[in-house]
Amino acid sequence: MKTIKARTLFDLPVTESRLDEAIERGELRRRSGLQATAVAFLDPCLAVSFEDGSGVLLPVKNYSEFDGFEAEDFTRLKVGYSGTALCHEGKDLHVSIAEMISACPPLMAMATSIVASRNGRQSSSAKAEAARANGKKGGRPRKVDVAP
């Protein structure tokens, strides 16, 4: 998991255009998918719930960010950054949920399989035209065995 160093933010005056840009960035982030709504500690895992009612269990032993955490520390974790991170203010910890999921090989293998399956079902206009042409000819031609 990569560590991101905090940037120093300067006091910039809030203008209508900056406010509009911030609102637009927030909307883009909200619509981009991953929106956690809650986190709970179910020893030895963190249960992260999402907007649509789904959830994922992540074993805390797999993440060095939680080394030294006690059970009470886990109960103080909150969802932050528009549902994209787990935050613990007392320990100044902010961990990306997407990065936690991507660091789990079984979850990534499942995600890869799902994406491949979904992409295989997509039909381009060229594929659809080829299927119609083959249908007019009686379907896909049979394979012919060529004797060596």
Side-chain angles (χ1 to χ4, degrees):
M1 195 158 318
K2 70 179 178 181
T3 302
I4 300 173
K5 203 165 184 119
R7 290 181 285 183
T8 303
L9 298 177
F10 298 97
D11 290 332
L12 298 173
V14 177
T15 63
E16 284 296 320
S17 64
R18 283 200 180 119
L19 186 58
D20 291 341
E21 288 171 11
I23 290 170
E24 187 175 326
R25 281 194 314 270
E27 277 300 309
L28 283 172
R29 176 178 276 189
R30 188 184 66 75
R31 284 181 280 162
S32 68
L34 187 67
Q35 295 295 307
T37 56
V39 61
F41 180 60
L42 307 173
D43 196 14
C45 296
L46 288 174
V48 181
S49 303
F50 298 100
E51 253 182 348
D52 66 353
S54 64
V56 64
L57 289 175
L58 301 168
V60 294
K61 68 178 180 161
N62 293 352
Y63 306 102
S64 61
E65 292 83 0
F66 299 115
D67 289 350
F69 265 54
E70 301 294 327
E72 185 178 321
D73 294 326
F74 287 113
T75 61
R76 292 191 177 152
L77 278 174
K78 304 285 183 219
V79 174
Y81 293 96
S82 300
T84 62
L86 299 181
C87 305
H88 190 292
E89 294 305 319
K91 294 194 176 272
D92 193 29
L93 177 75
H94 308 283
V95 182
S96 165
I97 296 169
E99 289 292 324
M100 290 178 71
I101 291 171
S102 70
C104 182
L107 286 177
M108 284 307 295
M110 181 176 64
T112 302
S113 174
I114 291 168
V115 168
S117 173
R118 183 168 285 177
N119 286 343
R121 283 185 262 154
Q122 289 182 351
S123 182
S124 67
S125 58
K127 281 171 85 174
E129 182 59 37
R132 281 193 289 277
N134 281 338
K136 288 178 184 176
K137 296 179 201 172
R140 179 180 292 214
R142 299 204 182 267
K143 290 185 179 179
V144 178
D145 288 333
V146 177

